[in-house]
Amino acid sequence: MAVKSIWLGVFALTVMLSPAHCAPLTPEQQAAHVLNRLGYGPLPGDIERVAKMGVQRYIAQQLDPGAIAEPAALSERLARLATVNRSAGSMMAEFIELNRDVRDEEDGARKLRRAGLGVMSRESAEARMARALESPRQLEEVMVDFWFNHFNVFSGKGVVRALLPSYERDAIRPHAMGSFRALLGATAKHPAMLYYLDNHLSSGTPATAASATMGASSMAMLAPVRARGLNENYARELMELHTLGVNGGYTQKDVTELARMLTGWSYTLRAMVDRNQTFTFEPRRHDQGVKNWLGRAVPPAGQREGEMALDVLAAHPSTARHISQKLAQYFVQDQPPAALVERMARSFSESDGDIRAVLRTLFASPEFMAGEAMGAKFKTPFHFVLSAVRASGIQVHNVAPLTNTLDSLGMPLFGCPTPDGYKNTQQAWLNPDALSRRITFASNLAAGRLPLAGVPAAGNAGTRAPALLDAAQLESTLAGVLSERTRALVAESSPALRPSMLLGSPDFMQR
């Protein structure tokens, strides 16, 4: 309670005063800045290491993640997560089996289903959290999260939970710092997206059979169901969220015409389960008429109509601005400078949507390294929880306390139900209740009350709580982040409270 009362008052004052680093950043501050923006905050010793090597060299390394070796321990941990490494077809087959119709009295079968679905959720969460906490390829992990959020799918909708590992592994991760067109196409054809935004149900002809979905009473069967006519959900979000943006220069008519062009884009359960074929174009469900989309006539061309649409959308100037705006908002400020966004958009267009080229323009800009940019972003719950654990230096074997914390903070992992994904602005996350919950987490982490060192699942191995965090080591880890005001307040408090105050401080909650 003492930590909460102190920091809630200090945070309110901090927000009202909105201090900025007007002077040029010191090498230590620059190191802290890039570690908080290109990754999930410093590990012990990171600020000193990056300051010594220079931030430009660090940025260059992060832009080439393939050249950064992954720790053997992390690779081994990920290899042990069976569901994360299985194909989409294999996961779908298990999901179907787990969801066979069960009579109420078959309690054992219900427990088996809950356990199986629980393993899927836990292992997906562990893989994402372990990589973010332990991988030295921090920018790659940030970009995977950024793009997953941009092309959001909700784990709570039907088969999406089973398809999450494949969606991140096969559609998002390979293209997170590559070609935007390739990324757009991979998400457009993945069954997680086709199911989440209902394109697997869309048909240009009435009452056509489709083998993409399962009826509520026939989860164990691969029988076809009836397509439900034209569905505009994916076409709308493809233009509004994924590419052009809400003011990107299209009309409702364009949404309808794009939906017609994408009819037949689906998946077939039998092909997925038997051959791991995750995308199927079904000509009999495709609208064969001429479309008029974005001012052009589109003659009947089957699947090529949708491919052409993705080409046009990926290269559109509105897409360049929309993606650049979102990247600048994430990495610089909630309201990024317009001149920076325009330069990034120009890089996007000139490089044919090369994400790495856009990031180079961003990180080389004076706006990115300006004094007023440091600490200008309020950490999302995901970033806050990860950065607190990284700063503590704790080796995490049990991620459940962290995912439970994200639930309580309103940002469950893979749990955003709407296609626009989670916001990353201060307005979305800064409120008294959320601050109180963050400070509670910081206090529990600092006091060693979270069983992060325990080994979950296998056997009945007990859990071990980590020791009380060392305040001096934590303060050293956060050098360049903490203000003099925070240091003074921490120094005046009792030694037992100091680690909690550091992790619950206004300075630490900003990045």
Side-chain angles (χ1 to χ4, degrees):
M1 292 301 294
V3 175
K4 282 188 183 181
S5 60
I6 292 171
W7 281 135
L8 286 174
V10 172
F11 211 111
L13 181 61
T14 300
V15 172
M16 286 189 293
L17 294 177
S18 300
H21 299 265
C22 296
L25 301 181
T26 67
E28 191 175 64
Q29 289 174 328
Q30 290 182 4
H33 182 58
V34 298
L35 286 163
N36 271 314
R37 296 297 175 91
L38 276 68
Y40 293 109
L43 294 167
D46 268 357
I47 289 181
E48 179 181 6
R49 176 179 64 86
V50 173
K52 184 176 181 180
M53 71 185 294
V55 295
Q56 295 308 319
R57 182 182 171 196
Y58 176 77
I59 291 171
Q61 287 183 349
Q62 289 297 307
L63 284 167
D64 186 18
I68 304 175
E70 187 175 76
L74 175 58
S75 298
E76 292 167 4
R77 180 176 186 175
L78 295 173
R80 290 194 297 268
L81 301 176
T83 60
V84 172
N85 297 292
R86 288 167 56 187
S87 68
S90 173
M91 291 296 292
M92 182 68 87
E94 180 177 344
F95 185 87
I96 294 170
E97 181 65 25
L98 287 170
N99 284 278
R100 286 182 182 276
D101 292 333
V102 180
R103 294 193 304 272
D104 290 342
E105 64 268 21
E106 292 178 326
D107 187 58
R110 291 202 307 275
K111 289 181 179 178
L112 182 64
R113 180 171 67 253
R114 286 196 298 268
L117 295 176
V119 169
M120 291 182 184
S121 297
R122 286 196 302 273
E123 292 197 349
S124 293
E126 181 172 353
R128 173 67 75 84
M129 299 293 280
R131 282 190 168 107
L133 288 169
E134 301 173 25
S135 176
R137 303 169 182 172
Q138 282 285 284
L139 178 59
E140 181 176 63
E141 295 311 310
V142 164
M143 293 307 299
V144 167
D145 181 67
F146 177 90
W147 290 122
F148 190 103
N149 205 51
H150 183 79
F151 296 103
N152 184 55
V153 297
F154 174 44
S155 65
K157 181 173 180 178
V159 302
V160 173
R161 185 188 313 199
L163 296 170
L164 273 177
S166 169
Y167 185 63
E168 180 175 309
R169 181 190 66 233
D170 304 328
I172 301 291
R173 187 170 290 276
H175 311 292
M177 295 173 65
S179 161
F180 179 78
R181 172 61 178 87
L183 175 62
L184 184 66
T187 58
K189 292 181 178 179
H190 197 278
M193 181 64 74
L194 292 166
Y195 182 91
Y196 172 61
L197 289 179
D198 303 317
N199 207 76
H200 70 301
L201 299 174
S202 187
S203 175
T205 55
T208 46
S211 55
T213 189
M214 298 168 286
S217 63
S218 59
M219 293 294 286
M221 300 172 61
L222 300 183
V225 298
R226 309 300 285 181
R228 303 175 185 176
L230 190 66
N231 189 297
E232 298 182 356
N233 288 352
Y234 177 60
R236 177 175 293 103
E237 309 307 352
L238 176 58
M239 288 198 285
E240 179 177 320
L241 299 178
H242 300 170
T243 57
L244 304 179
V246 67
N247 297 313
Y250 62 91
T251 67
Q252 173 55 41
K253 174 68 172 176
D254 291 319
V255 172
T256 301
E257 296 298 271
L258 180 58
R260 294 176 61 206
M261 294 162 68
L262 292 169
T263 50
W265 284 49
S266 188
Y267 61 88
T268 304
L269 281 174
R270 177 63 70 186
M272 191 189 307
V273 172
D274 291 350
R275 303 187 299 277
N276 196 38
Q277 179 180 317
T278 55
F279 173 77
T280 300
F281 177 73
E282 299 187 5
R284 60 192 175 132
R285 295 174 56 200
H286 183 65
D287 184 324
Q288 299 294 344
V290 175
K291 292 87 176 177
N292 289 283
W293 177 68
L294 294 182
R296 71 193 70 200
V298 181
Q303 182 182 340
R304 291 195 300 277
E305 295 174 33
E307 298 287 0
M308 181 276 291
L310 296 182
D311 290 342
V312 170
L313 292 171
H316 201 285
S318 292
T319 298
R321 286 190 294 271
H322 179 56
I323 299 302
S324 297
Q325 168 76 23
K326 288 194 69 172
L327 287 167
Q329 182 184 72
Y330 182 91
F331 284 104
V332 181
Q333 294 177 0
D334 287 359
Q335 300 296 328
L340 171 61
V341 173
E342 285 304 313
R343 294 199 304 276
M344 292 169 62
R346 188 158 53 249
S347 292
F348 186 103
S349 297
E350 291 174 353
S351 67
D352 294 325
D354 185 330
I355 297 166
R356 202 184 321 256
V358 179
L359 291 175
R360 284 197 184 97
T361 298
L362 169 60
F363 298 144
S365 71
E367 293 92 339
F368 173 73
M369 201 58 75
E372 56 267 26
M374 185 175 182
K377 292 289 297 181
F378 186 68
K379 292 177 181 177
T380 66
F382 186 64
H383 199 120
F384 170 70
V385 168
L386 290 170
S387 61
V389 176
R390 282 175 59 84
S392 73
I394 295 172
Q395 294 297 306
V396 177
H397 299 284
N398 176 19
V399 302
L402 305 182
T403 56
N404 291 340
T405 298
L406 291 175
D407 292 347
S408 73
L409 292 173
M411 196 179 188
L413 201 57
F414 311 121
C416 181
T418 56
D420 55 346
Y422 290 120
K423 303 293 187 294
N424 70 78
T425 59
Q426 177 174 292
Q427 183 179 9
W429 300 110
L430 178 56
N431 61 75
D433 179 63
L435 285 178
S436 179
R437 291 173 184 267
R438 288 186 184 213
I439 293 169
T440 296
F441 166 75
S443 298
N444 289 334
L445 177 66
R449 289 191 288 266
L450 299 178
L452 300 175
V455 180
N460 291 314
T463 56
R464 306 180 305 279
L468 181 72
L469 296 186
D470 183 283
Q473 180 179 339
L474 193 57
E475 190 167 345
S476 175
T477 298
L478 300 177
V481 173
L482 304 174
S483 66
E484 290 303 319
R485 175 173 51 187
T486 294
R487 291 178 186 273
L489 283 169
V490 171
E492 293 170 2
S493 65
S494 68
L497 285 178
R498 289 173 187 171
S500 301
M501 294 188 69
L502 289 167
L503 293 178
S505 68
D507 297 331
F508 187 75
M509 290 196 204
Q510 295 166 286
R511 66 178 179 93

